[in-house]
């Protein structure tokens, strides 16, 4: 009987349920369900429609069961990965409210509150986490300021993938790769930092997170209510922060490699054995997040294809692939004379991105853009320049030189962005696989089942030997400024 593994892989703009198998030394994927995802406004704040999200997960599991039956197989396990930092408040097993979305601008209020109690420099020495105004610690501070009753009444606080896992199994855990994005985890001990938690005034809130557990551990059996044929199916904890799973899915042939997990956000970094907590690292705003098998994902969270997606949405072209293809062809022939400041907080929240881009350019004394392909070109050039600049910082901070950059995730399909990244960085760009996050999710499950070797270098060799599309881009022309 064929062993089938299920990856529940949910990003900020879409989700998917993917069936994975390991046959004849190769991993194969079969997408059984895909659905849109996105924040919605409720009561003046951005939240996630978690009820709808769980409905889609149920549909996906049903389709996964149908797929397994169709190939004469059985579902060994499920693994869940999502975006980071956001959480749900639960009381006695029931969600109290739809989870807040990290893109809500009010999160900045929480950041200001925390830093009035403990400086970012002091936090970085312990957690080693990049400053982002929506890290979980800031969201909790905001919630304790504006809705303390709800926070107090919660019996549990669960990060999104942990919440899905709880609803599937009835078992609670806080998976460590995602816990490392909260701002409350000690990067060295891999345990909660009582100093940060207490000084931030969040002792009561932080104590409501379930126990910390590691990727590769079994959470529990899937509850009967999710359908027939799942009696022996377990939920296995994977790198539940989607970037942690994406890094597992990098088909690198060497132990030291640079990667960009490219999607809504761009996560640029490298795997290292121990955190870097230096002043130079803090000033460069690099982060020390946990990877699977206790590795450190030393990276920087950079702006990504969210900017392009928001422009397409504003132009009513977000579902028109032909229009995007035409725009990319025109953009390839447009050389922008000015680039964007991607650290501008105004570019984080949704809504009329072309207007926000022109406002930034005008404030800097630059000419506004007019044609759609000009926006596309400026966005992609700005991203590629950002990648090149931050790769330079990464090499200095890690004391390494990388010959190539592995680009994985949905953004690896954007040939123009990959070529510009090669041009700006003067590095070889190895693009693919697109579904690296789902692949990494499945690999951890397969390791837990004894199907794939535990050594990550061997698992990555299997990924490279599988039939996933990989494209190489060499630098062209002169180095961009």
């Amino acid at each position: 009987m064929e062993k089938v593994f299920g990856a529940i892989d949910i990003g900020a703009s879409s989700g998917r349920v993917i069936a994975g198998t390991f046959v004849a030394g190769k991993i194969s994927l079969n997408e059984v369900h895909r659905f849109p995802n996105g924040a919605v406004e409720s009561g003046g704040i951005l939240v996630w429609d978690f009820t709808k999200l769980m409905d889609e997960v149920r549909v996906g599991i049903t389709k996964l069961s149908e797929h397994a039956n169709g190939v004469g197989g059985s579902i060994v396990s499920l693994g869940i990965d999502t975006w980071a930092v956001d959480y749900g408040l639960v009381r006695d097993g029931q969600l109290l409210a739809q989870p807040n979305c990290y893109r809500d601008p009010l999160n900045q209020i929480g950041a200001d509150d925390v830093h009035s109690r403990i400086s970012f420099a002091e936090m970085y020495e312990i957690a080693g986490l990049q400053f982002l105004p929506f890290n979980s610690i800031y969201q909790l501070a905001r919630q304790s300021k504006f809705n303390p009753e709800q926070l107090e009444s919660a019996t549990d606080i669960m990060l999104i993938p942990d919440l899905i896992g709880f609803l599937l199994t009835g078992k609670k855990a806080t998976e460590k790769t995602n816990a490392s994005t909260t701002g409350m985890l000690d990067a060295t001990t891999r345990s909660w930092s009582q100093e940060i938690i207490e000084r931030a005034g969040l002792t009561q809130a932080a104590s409501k997170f379930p126990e910390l557990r590691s990727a590769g551990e079994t959470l529990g059996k899937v509850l009967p209510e999710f359908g027939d044929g799942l009696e022996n199916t377990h939920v296995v904890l994977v790198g539940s922060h989607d970037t942690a799973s994406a890094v597992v899915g990098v088909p690198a042939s060497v132990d030291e490699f640079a990667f960009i997990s490219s999607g809504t956000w761009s996560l640029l970094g490298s795997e290292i054995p121990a955190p870097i907590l230096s002043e130079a690292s803090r000033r460069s705003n690099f982060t020390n997040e946990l990877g699977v098998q206790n590795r450190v994902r030393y990276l920087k969270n950079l702006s990504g294809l969210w900017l392009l997606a928001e422009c397409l949405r504003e132009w009513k072209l977000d579902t028109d692939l032909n229009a995007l293809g035409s725009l990319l062809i025109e953009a390839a022939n447009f050389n922008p004379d000015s680039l964007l400041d991607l650290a501008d907080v105004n570019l984080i929240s949704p809504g009329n991105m072309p207007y926000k881009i022109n406002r930034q350019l005008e404030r800097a004394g630059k000419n506004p853009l007019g044609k759609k392909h000009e926006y596309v070109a400026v966005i992609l050039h700005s991203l590629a320049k950002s990648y090149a600049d931050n790769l330079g910082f990464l090499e200095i901070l890690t004391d390494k030189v990388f010959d190539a950059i592995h680009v994985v995730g949905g953004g690896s399909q954007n040939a123009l962005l990959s070529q510009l990244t090669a041009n700006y960085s003067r590095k070889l760009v190895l693009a693919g696989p697109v579904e690296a996050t789902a692949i990494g999710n499945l690999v951890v499950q397969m390791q837990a089942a004894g199907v794939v070797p535990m050594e990550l270098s061997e698992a990555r060799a299997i990924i490279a030997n599988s039939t996933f599309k990989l494209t190489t881009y060499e630098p062209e022309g002169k180095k961009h400024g």
Side-chain angles (χ1 to χ4, degrees), residues 6 92 118 135 159 161 190 249 254 265 301 321 339-340 363 381 462 469:
D92 300 329
I118 177 172
N135 290 338
L159 296 166
R190 271 82 160 169
V254 295
W265 292 92
N301 196 350
L321 295 180
L339 301 180
L340 299 174
R363 285 196 301 269
H381 276 265
I462 288 171
K469 183 182 178 182

Side-chain angles (χ1 to χ4, degrees), residues 120-131:
F120 175 62
E122 291 173 298
M123 289 174 64
Y124 194 89
E125 287 179 358
I126 301 169
L129 195 69
Q130 172 185 5
F131 173 75

Side-chain angles (χ1 to χ4, degrees), residues 55-258:
D55 287 344
E56 297 287 3
V57 168
R58 285 178 179 273
V59 171
I61 292 174
T62 299
K63 290 183 177 180
L64 183 67
S65 294
E66 292 169 353
H67 170 80
N69 289 334
V71 298
S74 62
I75 304 171
V76 177
S77 61
L78 304 174
I80 307 151
D81 69 78
T82 77
W83 68 97
V85 305
D86 290 342
Y87 55 84
L89 299 179
V90 175
R91 181 174 181 82
D92 300 329
Q94 300 298 315
L95 191 63
L96 292 177
Q98 302 288 27
N100 287 347
C101 174
Y102 65 87
R103 288 196 183 276
D104 193 291
L106 290 177
N107 289 324
Q108 181 65 49
I109 295 170
D112 295 340
D113 181 72
V114 168
H115 290 156
S116 71
R117 303 163 184 262
I118 177 172
S119 71
F120 175 62
E122 291 173 298
M123 289 174 64
Y124 194 89
E125 287 179 358
I126 301 169
L129 195 69
Q130 172 185 5
F131 173 75
L132 293 166
F134 45 72
N135 290 338
S136 310
I137 188 170
Y138 305 135
Q139 293 199 48
L140 285 168
R142 164 197 163 178
Q143 200 146 26
S144 95
K145 194 177 186 73
F146 290 106
N147 202 342
E149 298 83 6
Q150 189 178 79
L151 194 58
E152 187 175 333
S153 68
T155 52
D156 298 281
I157 301 173
M158 297 185 195
L159 296 166
I160 299 298
D162 301 325
L163 178 57
I164 296 171
F166 167 67
L167 294 176
L168 289 179
T169 66
K171 305 295 183 183
K172 303 173 187 177
T174 303
E175 192 277 318
K176 287 184 181 179
T177 68
N178 218 358
S180 71
T181 71
T182 62
M184 297 179 288
L185 199 76
D186 187 309
T188 304
T189 66
R190 271 82 160 169
S191 59
W192 296 118
S193 168
Q194 294 307 311
E195 180 178 351
I196 290 177
I197 289 166
E198 289 171 10
R199 290 186 61 186
L202 295 171
T203 304
Q204 185 180 16
S207 66
K208 297 181 180 185
F209 280 94
E211 69 168 323
L212 291 165
R213 307 235 347 239
S214 298
E217 295 185 38
T218 297
L219 179 63
K221 279 191 175 183
V222 176
L223 294 170
E225 66 193 71
F226 286 91
D228 297 329
L230 300 170
E231 296 82 4
N232 298 311
T233 303
H234 290 81
V235 171
V236 169
L237 297 173
V238 298
S240 68
H241 179 199
D242 51 13
T243 308
S245 280
V247 173
V248 173
V250 173
S253 58
V254 295
D255 289 335
E256 296 180 348
F257 58 90

